[in-house]
Amino acid sequence: MMHALNLVCAVAISVLAVRAQDLLTDIAKIQRYWGQISPYADNPEDHFGVRFVGLPDGCQIESVQTLQRHAQRFPTGSIDDGENDQRFSIKLSNLTSSSNSTGSFAGPLSFLNTYRYPIVDTGLLTGIGATTELASGVSFWNRYGRTLYNATVGQIAYNSSFPDGTDRAPVVLRTTGFFGSSFPIVPNPTFANVTKPYKVVIIPEGGTENNSLASYDSCFNVNDATTGVLGDLDLFTYLPKYLTAATARLQKHAPEGLTLTVNDTYAMQSICAYEHGYLGMSDFCELFTADEWAGFENTLDVEYYYDYAFGNPTGRAQGLGYLQELLAGLNRTLISSSSSSVNSTLDGDATTFPTNQPFYADFSHDDIIISVLTAMSLDYIRDPPSLTQFPPNPHRHFILSHLTPFGARLITETIGCSLSDPAPVEKSRVSYTPGQYGYNASNATHKFVRMRLNHRILPLNTIRGGACGNYISGRVDGMCALGDFMRSQQNNTVMANYNYSCFGNYTITDPTSGKDFDGAIFQ
């Protein structure tokens, strides 16, 4: 009996030792599990399954539309974001004044004995976020500016003048706000009276106006107490499935009188990500295993899939407005009337919605990018994250750290080619000049669309309906003939069913069922 007891103790000690060794402490790996609050990183070369990533001979990028979300920010006040983090910080601060508490934090939690929560729930850009934005602009110029504007040798940035010294027309940029008010002593959200080679069109956010870059404002059911939070409800249902063991493990290092819950340990993971995005470091980051971090990311994937993608009846409607603007940009046409979140007053005016720019830049939010891909019927991401599986499948397609990290960018390239079916090129290529690989604008009469998400090519052959091909037939390099791409989107308005999805009087009877609505609802 004693021998058996010793064996059990030895096994228990061994398990505890393995668990200690399993704690993930490499921040470079940890931060890839933070979903939409991960720092920006280019996706791996063939992340979305497109292996032929080079630009074909006789082809060149002729115009670019980019939809970019903001970079690292402070938390918001939503329940699963800043509110839960703040609640935990208050719980910690109240501990010192509680007569029921004895002892102190120990071991890996000893830092909490002198900890002060440094975060404010403003949603504004952090200093690290500002540097991410700057790096994004530099990257955009290096990848597109030199060829779009035929830059001279050594030209490291956009020049608002032509080579002969005459002024270019100001580039129009659209946003819901420009750099926020994090840094000026006197906030200047309109960005007025600033010398710049561009014109900023700020579309108001926060009311009920039409705004494709904040489409939840005018789609009222997004703010419904049930419909608007399907993913949030699923998120909190998933927490016990992956954090129960971690909570019990950390409870052993807490003082008497403090009972940790899975919401508390979830807050620790969230605070880790936000403190890193603000301070560049956090003591909370080394408390969890790789599987527990994978569970954290899965909660965020679940939230976004069921709030903004195919899992929500407003998913398509939320992305429809920008998709219509994207198509108008490809066609170089104005939009004079709206059946979605499009602001037709702005989009019907060439001064605020120009049709002749080499590039278009819109600054928005992470959820809008997800909804645009949903409205497009890009079925590659119609891969619901599991509401029960732990650890989650690491090969699932819907992983936010690859889709919408801080600073995420969805880029649509218009490509001109001399041939109707140019041979795909497997290896990536650098275009040092517009004519690098035999491109000549005078004979590049065949136009194609290619889309990149965080620089890696999206598989347009997974757009439902097959207009851009499929896995068996069609191009293997992510390019889709412009006419075919337009044809692939001819039913997007019908499929979104905007009016009923956004304003209809319907009830979700089982909000945590994991139902896939295909992004819309019909009466």
Side-chain angles (χ1 to χ4, degrees):
M1 176 67 72
M2 185 60 69
H3 176 74
L5 183 60
N6 288 341
L7 180 61
V8 170
C9 291
V11 170
I13 293 172
S14 174
V15 170
L16 288 175
V18 169
R19 287 177 179 171
Q21 292 171 3
D22 279 349
L23 294 179
L24 186 59
T25 58
D26 184 347
I27 194 64
K29 295 180 179 178
I30 293 172
Q31 64 187 6
R32 302 319 310 155
Y33 290 113
W34 293 343
Q36 81 281 6
I37 50 178
S38 299
Y40 180 82
D42 281 348
N43 281 320
E45 187 87 342
D46 61 348
H47 178 74
F48 298 112
V50 178
R51 292 193 306 107
F52 287 75
V53 297
L55 198 64
D57 288 340
C59 299
Q60 187 52 268
I61 297 167
E62 296 180 334
S63 66
V64 173
Q65 299 185 56
T66 179
L67 176 67
Q68 181 170 319
R69 71 165 293 205
H70 51 75
Q72 288 91 327
R73 57 163 173 78
F74 289 103
T76 65
S78 60
I79 185 172
D80 59 297
D81 195 45
E83 183 177 324
N84 188 55
D85 296 354
Q86 281 278 10
R87 181 203 53 76
F88 176 62
S89 72
I90 293 172
K91 184 174 182 177
L92 290 177
S93 63
N94 288 342
L95 180 67
T96 57
S97 59
S98 172
S99 59
N100 296 323
S101 176
T102 59
S104 58
F105 290 100
L109 296 183
S110 59
F111 73 93
L112 290 176
N113 291 316
T114 55
Y115 174 76
R116 291 184 60 187
Y117 185 64
I119 306 295
V120 289
D121 294 349
T122 62
L124 294 176
L125 208 64
T126 68
I128 292 175
T131 63
T132 299
E133 300 282 19
L134 179 62
S136 171
V138 172
S139 174
F140 185 89
W141 171 258
N142 288 342
R143 285 172 172 158
Y144 297 108
R146 291 176 296 103
T147 50
L148 292 178
Y149 289 94
N150 197 17
T152 58
V153 173
Q155 183 180 339
I156 63 172
Y158 171 75
N159 190 330
S160 59
S161 301
F162 288 105
D164 63 4
T166 58
D167 291 337
R168 301 180 189 269
V171 176
V172 174
L173 311 176
R174 303 190 316 152
T175 178
T176 62
F178 209 71
F179 286 113
S181 54
S182 300
F183 302 102
I185 296 176
V186 178
N188 182 15
T190 65
F191 219 56
N193 303 318
V194 177
T195 302
K196 52 190 180 292
Y198 43 81
K199 175 181 178 180
V200 179
V201 176
I202 296 180
I203 310 174
E205 178 179 358
T208 59
E209 63 287 306
N210 277 17
N211 184 346
S212 62
L213 305 181
S215 56
Y216 34 77
D217 282 350
S218 58
C219 183
F220 294 173
N221 283 336
V222 176
N223 300 305
D224 178 78
T226 300
T227 304
V229 294
L230 295 181
D232 303 69
L233 297 173
D234 290 330
L235 181 157
F236 283 105
T237 302
Y238 186 76
L239 295 189
K241 295 176 173 59
Y242 87 97
L243 278 178
T244 296
T247 304
R249 182 178 69 242
L250 293 172
Q251 181 66 59
K252 298 176 182 178
H253 304 289
E256 293 184 18
L258 179 72
T259 300
L260 293 176
T261 68
V262 291
N263 283 23
D264 294 331
T265 44
Y266 184 69
M268 292 182 189
Q269 291 185 300
S270 177
I271 291 171
C272 155
Y274 276 117
E275 285 187 348
H276 194 271
Y278 171 41
L279 304 173
M281 63 194 81
S282 174
D283 282 324
F284 285 103
C285 292
E286 298 185 1
L287 301 177
F288 302 94
T289 67
D291 282 348
E292 289 159 354
W293 278 118
F296 176 75
E297 176 161 61
N298 194 61
T299 66
L300 303 174
D301 298 341
V302 163
E303 178 189 17
Y304 273 58
Y305 191 88
Y306 291 99
D307 278 355
Y308 309 115
F310 295 101
N312 194 282
T314 68
R316 290 179 180 272
Q318 293 186 63
L320 179 62
Y322 177 81
L323 179 57
Q324 291 173 334
E325 292 174 337
L326 173 70
L327 298 174
L330 293 173
N331 272 335
R332 298 189 178 276
T333 57
L334 299 173
I335 303 178
S336 58
S337 62
S338 175
S339 59
S340 66
S341 60
V342 165
N343 187 319
S344 56
T345 300
L346 295 175
D347 290 6
D349 186 341
T351 62
T352 50
F353 192 76
T355 60
N356 59 348
Q357 292 185 170
F359 83 92
Y360 303 84
D362 294 330
F363 299 91
S364 180
H365 301 277
D366 46 6
D367 49 317
I368 303 300
I369 293 177
I370 294 298
S371 295
V372 169
L373 298 177
T374 301
M376 278 177 55
S377 292
L378 187 79
D379 281 346
Y380 179 88
I381 67 163
R382 194 182 181 188
D383 182 18
S386 174
L387 303 182
T388 58
Q389 183 182 16
F390 176 69
N393 176 13
H395 303 297
R396 64 197 187 278
H397 288 173
F398 196 91
I399 300 180
L400 287 178
S401 60
H402 293 288
L403 301 177
T404 57
F406 279 134
R409 58 219 60 165
L410 174 65
I411 292 178
T412 304
E413 304 168 340
T414 303
I415 299 171
C417 297
S418 57
L419 299 175
S420 61
D421 189 21
V425 173
E426 185 168 6
K427 188 178 182 298
S428 61
R429 288 171 155 181
V430 176
S431 293
Y432 294 93
T433 62
Q436 181 77 21
Y437 301 104
Y439 168 79
N440 187 325
S442 64
N443 66 5
T445 56
H446 302 281
K447 308 300 180 184
F448 295 84
V449 173
R450 186 171 68 175
M451 299 185 76
R452 294 180 179 270
L453 185 57
N454 306 324
H455 192 51
R456 299 315 174 198
I457 298 171
L458 288 172
L460 297 187
N461 59 359
T462 67
I463 294 176
R464 199 176 308 172
C468 289
N470 51 50
Y471 286 117
I472 299 174
S473 64
R475 298 193 63 85
V476 296
D477 57 3
M479 289 170 52
C480 179
L482 176 59
D484 291 339
F485 182 77
M486 300 302 292
R487 185 162 54 89
S488 79
Q489 299 304 311
Q490 63 185 359
N491 292 324
N492 56 42
T493 300
V494 173
M495 295 180 71
N497 199 24
Y498 186 87
N499 282 336
Y500 190 71
S501 295
C502 286
F503 309 112
N505 183 18
Y506 53 85
T507 301
I508 309 298
T509 56
D510 189 359
T512 57
S513 66
K515 178 178 179 179
D516 190 325
F517 287 90
D518 195 22
I521 192 167
F522 293 82
Q523 191 169 13

